[in-house]
């Protein structure tokens, strides 16, 4: 846009559709065309959008000659403004199109014209210049200070609304976790983030999803009360630390001094920070719904001032939506009846030359695969049950409901976090043994798929 004292934001009354605007275009042979349009839509400080419905002549002209001109009036004073435009692109899906289309349909429905007034596309134009036309009115132009504070929404609030909408649309718990971390990076610029779920039985928080790290960290643990994440899990309050390296250096200097004085009884072991080894700031948000802690959302940055009260409020709000979504979908994943389970032998393993040896250690309640630690506690028992039934009965499909009915697994009667434990198990298999997979097969159903032969060994200690 050319240098001008007029800003699109200052002309907000022109974009309310109170007075129709005139749009002029020109064909390739120089023939002009002028049509009235109901509304010019503000997109951002450099772009506006015009609805493409049925004025085909305008649409053809713009495709031949991308320049156009709009005359719009301020309905308060009838001051006229000329917008010189250049066509940029069309949108037939997405938030802008949906917003314009719904508004058009709502207005058309009052007169029974919903089938006639149908939005084909939202044509987006770059605003090359804006100028006020003299002689339309003798009334003084309103100063920019009269700009409505309610017209232009803070970008952070827009992003917050998008996160809430996406969480409401998600059908699967795993989808919620991935969408949340993806939007934290795309909409807020938080590159390093993780979600931990609360294991109340063992007083720990376990990493179930992460984004931005070299390793996904699935299954890494933080004890309740340990480090920032553990403290937030115990206190159930959002906390953030800026300039973490300075604080740690100070704490370690004090620790060294205490140790030099021989007062080691007052010192607890140092808690290694999960995630980035060189994190300069960190924020952790408790995921609490109806008074119950379901997990912790943690975000890290190499910028020592990445988290201030604004980020605190945004992430706390996102955490509230996330906690509710996790709680809701955790309870909704148990609809499949047991008798719908299929029993069929696997054919993939016999065609593969790969083989894996799973060892379950009863005393430690953990499983190793090919000599490497895989998983422990309830997720380990779940996997061992699945592997045995696969080997002994040829079963490949299972339900959440039958797992909940198996007392050997030791799931709590209430709030068992079964779905989150299955996601954790799925992540660990992806990391340590990708030939063996847990695949979602519908609400409350999943399958065990393997491309390798499986050998099972059970040991007492």
């Amino acid at each position: 846009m050319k240098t001008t004292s007029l800003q699109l934001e200052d002309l907000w009354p022109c974009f309310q559709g109170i007075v129709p605007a005139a749009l002029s275009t020109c064909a390739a042979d120089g023939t002009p065309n002028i049509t009235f349009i109901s509304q010019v839509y503000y997109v951002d400080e450099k772009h506006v959008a015009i609805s493409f419905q049925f004025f085909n002549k305008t649409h053809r002209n713009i495709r031949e000659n991308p320049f156009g001109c709009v005359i719009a009036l301020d309905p308060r004073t009838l001051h006229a403004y000329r917008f010189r435009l250049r066509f940029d692109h069309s949108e037939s899906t997405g938030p802008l199109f949906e917003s314009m289309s719904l508004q058009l349909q709502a207005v058309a429905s009052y007169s029974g014209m919903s089938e006639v007034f149908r939005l084909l596309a939202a044509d987006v134009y770059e605003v090359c210049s804006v100028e006020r036309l003299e002689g339309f009115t003798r009334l003084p132009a309103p100063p920019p200070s009269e700009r409505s504070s309610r017209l232009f929404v803070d970008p952070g609030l827009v992003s917050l609304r998008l996160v809430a909408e996406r969480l409401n649309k998600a059908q699967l718990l795993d989808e919620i976790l991935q969408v949340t971390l993806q939007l934290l990076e795309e909409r807020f610029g938080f590159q390093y983030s993780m979600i931990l779920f609360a294991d109340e039985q063992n007083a720990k928080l376990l990493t179930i999803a992460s984004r931005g790290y070299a390793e996904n960290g699935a299954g890494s643990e933080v004890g309740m009360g340990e480090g920032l994440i553990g403290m937030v899990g115990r206190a159930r309050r959002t906390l953030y630390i800026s300039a973490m390296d300075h604080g740690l250096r100070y704490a370690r200097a004090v620790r060294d001094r205490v140790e030099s004085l021989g007062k080691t009884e007052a010192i607890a072991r140092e808690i290694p920070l999960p995630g980035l080894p060189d994190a300069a700031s960190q924020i952790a948000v408790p995921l609490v719904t109806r008074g119950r802690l379901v997990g912790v959302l943690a975000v890290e940055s190499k910028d020592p001032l990445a988290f201030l009260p604004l980020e605190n409020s945004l992430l706390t709000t996102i955490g509230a939506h996330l906690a509710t979504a996790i709680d809701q979908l955790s309870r909704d994943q148990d609809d499949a009846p047991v008798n719908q389970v299929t029993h069929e032998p696997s054919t993939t393993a016999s065609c593969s030359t790969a083989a894996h040896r799973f060892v379950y250690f009863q005393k430690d309640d953990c499983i190793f695969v090919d000599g490497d630690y895989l998983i422990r506690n309830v997720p380990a028992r779940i996997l061992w049950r699945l592997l045995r039934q696969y080997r002994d009965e040829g079963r490949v499909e299972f339900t959440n409901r039958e797992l909940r009915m198996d007392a050997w697994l030791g799931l709590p009667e209430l709030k068992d976090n079964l779905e989150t434990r299955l996601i954790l198990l799925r992540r660990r298999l992806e990391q340590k043994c990708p030939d063996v997979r847990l695949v979602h097969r519908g609400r409350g159903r999943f399958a065990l798929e393997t491309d390798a032969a499986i050998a099972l060994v059970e040991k007492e200690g």
Side-chain angles (χ1 to χ4, degrees), residues 439-454:
V439 181
H440 183 73
R441 288 286 179 84
R443 188 175 295 277
R445 300 162 62 92
F446 63 95
L448 176 67
E449 293 185 354
T450 174
D451 300 325
I454 292 175

Side-chain angles (χ1 to χ4, degrees), residues 248-318:
L248 288 175
R249 279 202 299 269
Y250 175 78
R252 285 163 182 160
V254 174
R255 179 192 181 100
D256 293 342
R257 177 60 177 164
V258 172
E259 287 178 336
S260 68
L261 296 175
K263 299 179 179 179
T264 54
E265 70 280 0
I267 303 175
R269 67 183 178 88
E270 185 174 1
I271 306 302
L273 294 172
L276 286 178
D278 56 347
S281 57
Q282 188 180 44
I283 185 170
V285 178
L287 306 179
V288 179
T289 177
R290 298 179 180 88
R292 186 174 72 92
L293 179 75
V294 298
V296 171
L297 167 66
V299 184
E300 296 179 302
S301 174
K302 297 180 181 179
D303 178 357
L305 296 176
F307 306 114
L308 295 174
L310 173 63
E311 288 73 24
N312 184 331
S313 296
L314 287 173
L315 288 169
T316 299
T317 305
I318 291 173

Side-chain angles (χ1 to χ4, degrees), residues 148-207:
S148 172
S149 60
R150 294 176 291 117
L151 185 63
F152 303 100
V153 183
D154 181 87
L157 187 56
V158 174
S159 297
L160 203 56
R161 188 185 74 176
L162 178 64
V163 172
E165 291 175 347
R166 292 286 297 277
L167 290 181
N168 280 334
K169 290 180 181 178
Q171 298 293 318
L172 300 173
L173 182 56
D174 200 12
E175 180 185 0
I176 280 181
L177 303 177
Q178 300 307 319
V179 162
T180 300
L181 300 184
Q182 176 188 348
L183 291 178
L184 285 180
E185 179 174 2
E186 294 179 353
R187 305 296 299 192
F188 299 97
F190 299 138
Q191 290 181 272
Y192 307 101
S193 56
M194 68 184 86
I195 298 172
L196 304 92
F197 89 88
D199 181 356
E200 293 179 329
Q201 282 182 308
N202 298 291
K204 291 184 179 297
L205 293 157
L206 285 80
T207 305

Side-chain angles (χ1 to χ4, degrees), residues 348-459:
T348 54
S350 61
C351 301
S352 173
T353 58
H356 292 295
R357 184 172 183 265
F358 291 84
V359 180
Y360 175 59
F361 294 91
Q362 297 175 354
K363 184 178 179 181
D364 297 321
D365 199 17
C366 67
I367 292 178
F368 279 59
V369 58
D370 302 329
D372 290 335
Y373 168 77
L374 177 61
I375 201 162
R376 66 183 176 183
N377 295 332
V378 173
R381 276 173 256 147
I382 292 175
L383 177 61
W384 196 244
R385 180 190 193 275
L386 303 180
L387 291 174
R388 284 189 308 183
Q389 291 192 305
Y390 171 83
R391 180 195 62 184
D392 300 340
E393 306 170 23
R395 287 192 57 184
V396 295
E397 194 164 306
F398 306 86
T399 70
N400 290 7
R401 180 169 298 180
E402 67 177 296
L403 295 182
R404 288 194 164 101
M405 295 169 63
D406 188 340
W408 181 74
L409 298 180
L411 286 165
E413 293 185 5
L414 298 174
K415 312 296 183 183
D416 57 25
N417 287 323
L418 174 59
E419 195 62 29
T420 52
R421 296 178 202 274
L422 288 173
I423 292 175
L424 172 61
L425 178 54
R426 188 176 299 129
R427 294 275 188 276
R428 290 295 295 170
L429 287 171
E430 290 171 357
Q431 187 176 7
K432 295 292 184 180
C433 186
D435 291 336
V436 179
R437 301 174 295 276
L438 297 183
V439 181
H440 183 73
R441 288 286 179 84
R443 188 175 295 277
R445 300 162 62 92
F446 63 95
L448 176 67
E449 293 185 354
T450 174
D451 300 325
I454 292 175
L456 304 182
V457 177
E458 189 164 347
K459 298 183 177 180

